[in-house]
Coordinates of all heavy atoms in Angstrom, one line a residue:
E1 N 18.7 112.9 100.3 CA 19.4 113.9 101.0 C 18.8 115.1 100.9 O 18.7 116.0 101.8 CB 20.8 113.7 100.9 CG 21.4 112.5 101.4 CD 21.4 112.1 102.8 OE1 21.5 113.2 103.5 OE2 21.1 111.0 103.1
I2 N 18.5 115.5 99.7 CA 18.1 116.9 99.3 C 16.7 117.2 100.1 O 16.4 118.2 100.6 CB 17.9 117.0 97.8 CG1 19.4 117.2 97.3 CG2 17.2 118.4 97.4 CD1 19.3 117.1 95.7
E3 N 15.8 116.1 100.0 CA 14.5 116.2 100.7 C 14.7 116.5 102.2 O 13.9 117.3 102.7 CB 13.7 115.1 100.4 CG 13.1 115.1 98.9 CD 12.2 113.8 98.8 OE1 12.5 112.8 99.2 OE2 11.1 114.1 98.2
K4 N 15.7 116.0 102.8 CA 16.0 116.2 104.2 C 16.5 117.5 104.4 O 16.0 118.2 105.4 CB 17.0 115.2 104.8 CG 16.5 113.6 104.8 CD 17.6 112.8 105.2 CE 17.3 111.3 105.0 NZ 18.4 110.4 105.4
R5 N 17.2 118.1 103.4 CA 17.8 119.4 103.6 C 16.8 120.5 103.2 O 16.9 121.6 103.8 CB 19.0 119.5 102.6 CG 19.8 120.9 102.6 CD 21.0 120.8 101.7 NE 22.0 120.0 102.1 CZ 23.0 120.3 102.9 NH1 23.1 121.6 103.3 NH2 23.9 119.4 103.3
G6 N 16.0 120.2 102.3 CA 15.1 121.1 101.8 C 15.4 121.4 100.4 O 16.4 121.4 99.9
T7 N 14.2 121.9 99.6 CA 14.5 122.1 98.2 C 14.3 123.5 97.9 O 14.2 123.9 96.6 CB 13.3 121.3 97.4 OG1 12.0 121.9 97.8 CG2 13.4 119.8 97.7
G8 N 14.6 124.5 98.7 CA 14.5 125.9 98.5 C 15.8 126.4 97.9 O 16.8 125.6 97.6
I9 N 15.9 127.8 97.9 CA 17.0 128.4 97.4 C 18.3 128.2 98.1 O 19.3 128.2 97.5 CB 16.7 129.9 97.2 CG1 17.8 130.6 96.4 CG2 16.6 130.5 98.7 CD1 17.8 130.2 95.0
A10 N 18.2 127.9 99.4 CA 19.4 127.7 100.2 C 20.1 126.4 99.7 O 21.3 126.2 99.7 CB 19.0 127.5 101.7
T11 N 19.3 125.4 99.4 CA 20.0 124.1 98.8 C 20.5 124.4 97.4 O 21.6 123.8 97.3 CB 18.9 123.0 98.8 OG1 18.4 122.8 100.2 CG2 19.4 121.7 98.2
A12 N 19.8 125.1 96.7 CA 20.4 125.5 95.3 C 21.8 126.2 95.6 O 22.7 125.8 94.8 CB 19.5 126.3 94.6
R13 N 21.8 127.1 96.5 CA 23.2 127.7 96.6 C 24.1 126.9 97.3 O 25.3 127.1 96.9 CB 22.9 129.0 97.6 CG 24.0 130.1 97.7 CD 23.5 131.4 98.1 NE 22.7 132.1 97.1 CZ 23.0 132.7 96.1 NH1 24.4 132.8 95.8 NH2 22.3 133.2 95.3
Y14 N 23.8 126.0 98.1 CA 24.8 124.9 98.7 C 25.4 124.1 97.4 O 26.6 124.1 97.5 CB 24.0 124.1 99.7 CG 24.7 122.8 100.0 CD1 25.6 122.9 101.1 CD2 24.4 121.5 99.4 CE1 26.4 121.7 101.5 CE2 25.1 120.4 99.7 CZ 26.0 120.6 100.8 OH 26.7 119.3 101.2
Y15 N 24.7 123.7 96.6 CA 25.2 122.9 95.5 C 26.0 123.9 94.5 O 26.9 123.4 94.0 CB 24.1 122.2 94.7 CG 23.7 120.8 95.4 CD1 22.5 120.8 96.2 CD2 24.4 119.7 95.2 CE1 22.3 119.7 97.0 CE2 24.0 118.5 95.9 CZ 23.0 118.5 96.6 OH 22.7 117.3 97.4
Y16 N 25.4 125.1 94.4 CA 26.2 126.0 93.5 C 27.6 126.2 94.1 O 28.7 126.3 93.2 CB 25.5 127.3 93.5 CG 26.4 128.4 92.9 CD1 26.8 128.5 91.6 CD2 26.8 129.5 93.8 CE1 27.5 129.5 91.2 CE2 27.7 130.4 93.3 CZ 27.9 130.5 92.0 OH 28.9 131.5 91.5
Y17 N 27.7 126.4 95.5 CA 29.1 126.6 96.0 C 30.1 125.4 95.8 O 31.1 125.7 95.6 CB 28.8 126.9 97.4 CG 28.3 128.2 97.8 CD1 27.5 128.4 98.9 CD2 28.5 129.3 97.0 CE1 26.9 129.6 99.3 CE2 27.9 130.6 97.3 CZ 27.2 130.7 98.5 OH 26.6 131.9 98.8
I18 N 29.4 124.3 95.8 CA 30.2 123.1 95.5 C 30.8 123.2 94.1 O 32.0 122.9 93.9 CB 29.4 121.7 95.9 CG1 29.0 121.6 97.3 CG2 30.2 120.6 95.3 CD1 28.1 120.5 97.6
L19 N 29.8 123.4 93.1 CA 30.3 123.3 91.8 C 31.2 124.5 91.6 O 32.3 124.4 90.7 CB 29.0 123.6 90.8 CG 28.3 122.2 90.6 CD1 26.9 122.5 90.1 CD2 29.1 121.3 89.7
R20 N 30.9 125.7 92.1 CA 31.7 126.8 91.9 C 33.3 126.6 92.3 O 34.2 126.8 91.6 CB 31.2 128.0 92.7 CG 32.1 129.3 92.7 CD 31.7 130.3 93.9 NE 32.1 129.6 95.1 CZ 31.8 130.2 96.4 NH1 31.2 131.3 96.4 NH2 32.2 129.5 97.4
D21 N 33.4 126.0 93.5 CA 34.8 125.7 94.0 C 35.4 124.7 93.3 O 36.6 124.7 93.0 CB 34.6 125.4 95.5 CG 34.2 126.6 96.4 OD1 34.2 127.6 95.9 OD2 33.7 126.4 97.5
F22 N 34.6 123.6 92.9 CA 35.3 122.6 92.1 C 35.8 123.1 90.9 O 36.9 122.7 90.4 CB 34.2 121.5 91.8 CG 34.8 120.3 91.0 CD1 35.2 119.2 91.6 CD2 34.5 120.3 89.6 CE1 35.8 118.2 90.9 CE2 35.1 119.2 89.0 CZ 35.8 118.1 89.6
F23 N 35.0 123.9 90.1 CA 35.6 124.5 88.7 C 36.7 125.6 89.0 O 37.5 125.7 88.2 CB 34.4 125.0 88.0 CG 33.5 124.0 87.2 CD1 32.4 123.6 87.6 CD2 34.1 123.4 86.2 CE1 31.6 122.6 87.0 CE2 33.5 122.4 85.5 CZ 32.2 122.1 85.9
K24 N 36.6 126.2 90.2 CA 37.8 127.1 90.4 C 39.1 126.2 90.6 O 40.2 126.7 90.2 CB 37.5 127.9 91.7 CG 36.7 129.2 91.4 CD 36.5 130.0 92.7 CE 35.5 131.2 92.4 NZ 35.5 132.0 93.5
A25 N 38.9 125.2 91.3 CA 40.1 124.2 91.5 C 40.5 123.6 90.3 O 41.7 123.6 89.9 CB 39.8 123.0 92.5
A26 N 39.6 123.2 89.3 CA 39.9 122.7 88.1 C 40.6 123.7 87.2 O 41.5 123.3 86.4 CB 38.6 122.2 87.3
Q27 N 40.1 125.0 87.1 CA 40.8 126.1 86.5 C 42.2 126.1 86.8 O 43.0 126.4 85.9 CB 40.0 127.3 86.6 CG 40.4 128.4 85.7 CD 39.6 129.7 86.0 OE1 38.8 129.7 86.8 NE2 40.0 130.7 85.2
K28 N 42.5 126.2 88.1 CA 44.0 126.3 88.5 C 44.7 125.0 88.1 O 45.8 125.2 87.7 CB 43.9 126.4 90.1 CG 43.4 127.8 90.6 CD 43.4 127.7 92.2 CE 42.9 129.0 92.6 NZ 43.7 130.2 92.4
C29 N 44.1 123.8 88.2 CA 44.7 122.6 87.7 C 45.1 122.5 86.2 O 46.2 122.3 85.9 CB 43.9 121.4 88.2 SG 44.6 119.8 87.5
W30 N 44.1 122.9 85.4 CA 44.3 122.8 83.9 C 45.2 123.9 83.4 O 45.7 123.9 82.2 CB 42.9 122.9 83.3 CG 42.3 121.6 83.5 CD1 41.1 121.5 84.2 CD2 42.4 120.3 82.8 NE1 40.6 120.1 84.0 CE2 41.4 119.4 83.3 CE3 43.5 119.7 82.1 CZ2 41.3 118.0 82.9 CZ3 43.4 118.5 81.7 CH2 42.3 117.6 82.1
E31 N 45.5 125.0 84.2 CA 46.3 126.0 83.8 C 46.1 126.6 82.4 O 45.0 127.0 82.2 CB 47.9 125.7 84.0 CG 48.2 125.2 85.3 CD 49.6 124.6 85.6 OE1 50.1 124.0 84.6 OE2 50.3 124.6 86.7
E32 N 47.2 126.6 81.7 CA 47.0 127.2 80.2 C 46.1 126.6 79.3 O 45.7 127.1 78.3 CB 48.4 127.4 79.6 CG 49.0 126.1 79.0 CD 49.5 125.1 80.0 OE1 49.6 125.4 81.2 OE2 49.9 123.9 79.5
T33 N 45.7 125.3 79.6 CA 44.7 124.7 78.6 C 43.2 125.1 79.0 O 42.4 124.8 78.2 CB 44.8 123.1 78.9 OG1 44.6 122.7 80.2 CG2 46.3 122.7 78.6
W34 N 43.0 125.8 80.1 CA 41.7 126.2 80.4 C 41.2 127.3 79.4 O 41.9 128.2 79.3 CB 41.6 126.6 81.9 CG 40.3 127.0 82.4 CD1 39.7 128.2 82.5 CD2 39.3 126.0 82.9 NE1 38.4 128.1 83.1 CE2 38.1 126.8 83.4 CE3 39.4 124.7 83.2 CZ2 37.1 126.3 83.9 CZ3 38.2 124.1 83.8 CH2 37.1 124.7 84.2
D35 N 40.0 127.2 78.9 CA 39.5 128.1 77.9 C 40.4 128.4 76.8 O 40.7 129.6 76.4 CB 39.1 129.4 78.7 CG 38.2 130.3 77.8 OD1 37.5 129.9 77.0 OD2 38.1 131.6 78.2
N36 N 41.1 127.4 76.4 CA 42.0 127.5 75.2 C 41.4 126.7 74.1 O 41.0 125.6 74.0 CB 43.3 126.8 75.7 CG 44.4 127.0 74.7 OD1 44.3 127.0 73.4 ND2 45.7 127.2 75.1
D37 N 41.4 127.4 72.9 CA 40.6 126.9 71.7 C 41.4 125.7 71.2 O 40.8 124.9 70.4 CB 40.6 128.0 70.7 CG 39.5 129.0 70.9 OD1 38.7 128.8 71.8 OD2 39.7 130.2 70.5
R38 N 42.7 125.5 71.5 CA 43.5 124.5 71.0 C 43.2 123.1 71.8 O 43.8 122.1 71.5 CB 45.0 124.8 70.9 CG 45.2 125.9 70.0 CD 46.7 126.1 69.8 NE 47.3 126.7 70.9 CZ 48.2 126.2 71.8 NH1 48.5 124.9 71.6 NH2 48.5 126.8 73.0
Y39 N 42.5 123.3 72.9 CA 42.2 122.1 73.8 C 40.7 121.9 74.1 O 40.0 122.9 73.9 CB 43.1 122.3 75.2 CG 44.5 122.3 75.1 CD1 45.1 123.4 74.7 CD2 45.2 121.1 75.2 CE1 46.5 123.4 74.6 CE2 46.6 121.1 75.2 CZ 47.3 122.3 74.9 OH 48.6 122.2 74.8
M40 N 40.4 120.8 74.6 CA 38.9 120.5 74.8 C 38.6 120.5 76.3 O 37.6 119.9 76.6 CB 38.7 119.1 74.1 CG 39.0 118.9 72.7 SD 37.8 119.7 71.7 CE 36.4 118.7 71.7
V41 N 39.3 121.1 77.0 CA 39.2 121.1 78.5 C 37.9 121.7 79.0 O 37.2 121.2 79.8 CB 40.4 121.8 79.3 CG1 40.1 121.9 80.7 CG2 41.7 120.9 79.1
T42 N 37.5 122.8 78.2 CA 36.3 123.4 78.6 C 35.2 123.3 77.5 O 34.3 124.0 77.4 CB 36.4 124.9 78.7 OG1 37.2 125.6 77.8 CG2 37.1 125.3 80.1
N43 N 35.3 122.2 76.8 CA 34.3 121.7 75.9 C 33.2 121.0 76.6 O 33.4 120.6 77.8 CB 34.9 120.7 74.9 CG 33.9 120.1 74.0 OD1 33.3 119.1 74.4 ND2 33.9 120.6 72.8
S44 N 32.0 120.9 76.1 CA 30.9 120.5 77.0 C 31.0 119.1 77.3 O 30.6 118.7 78.5 CB 29.6 120.6 76.0 OG 29.7 119.7 74.8
V45 N 31.8 118.2 76.6 CA 31.9 116.8 77.0 C 32.8 116.8 78.3 O 32.4 116.1 79.2 CB 32.7 116.0 75.8 CG1 33.1 114.7 76.2 CG2 31.9 116.0 74.6
N46 N 33.8 117.7 78.4 CA 34.6 117.5 79.6 C 33.9 118.2 80.8 O 34.0 117.8 81.9 CB 36.1 118.1 79.3 CG 37.0 117.6 80.4 OD1 37.0 116.6 80.9 ND2 37.8 118.7 80.8
I47 N 33.2 119.3 80.5 CA 32.6 120.0 81.5 C 31.5 118.9 82.2 O 31.4 119.0 83.4 CB 31.7 121.3 80.9 CG1 32.6 122.3 80.6 CG2 30.7 121.7 81.9 CD1 33.2 123.0 81.6

């Protein structure tokens, strides 16, 4: 699908926006556990 869309910067930005919005939604969902040292929510494994 990427080859059909093109492999330039526009495609990179397209996927960046998807990840950006997904993690913004996740941040709202995880609430106080997000970026909290007592939780593993933003640990590399869960990311």
Side-chain angles (χ1 to χ4, degrees):
E1 293 301 318
I2 290 172
E3 286 185 312
K4 295 176 185 177
R5 178 183 292 274
T7 59
I9 193 67
T11 298
R13 195 157 289 279
Y14 167 80
Y15 280 97
Y16 163 70
Y17 289 148
I18 294 174
L19 280 163
R20 176 201 66 186
D21 293 345
F22 181 87
F23 278 107
K24 283 186 175 181
Q27 183 176 4
K28 292 176 180 292
C29 169
W30 289 109
E31 296 176 332
E32 78 282 356
T33 63
W34 186 264
D35 195 23
N36 187 324
D37 288 339
R38 294 184 293 111
Y39 292 84
M40 301 289 281
V41 169
T42 47
N43 177 273
S44 62
V45 177
N46 197 40
I47 291 288

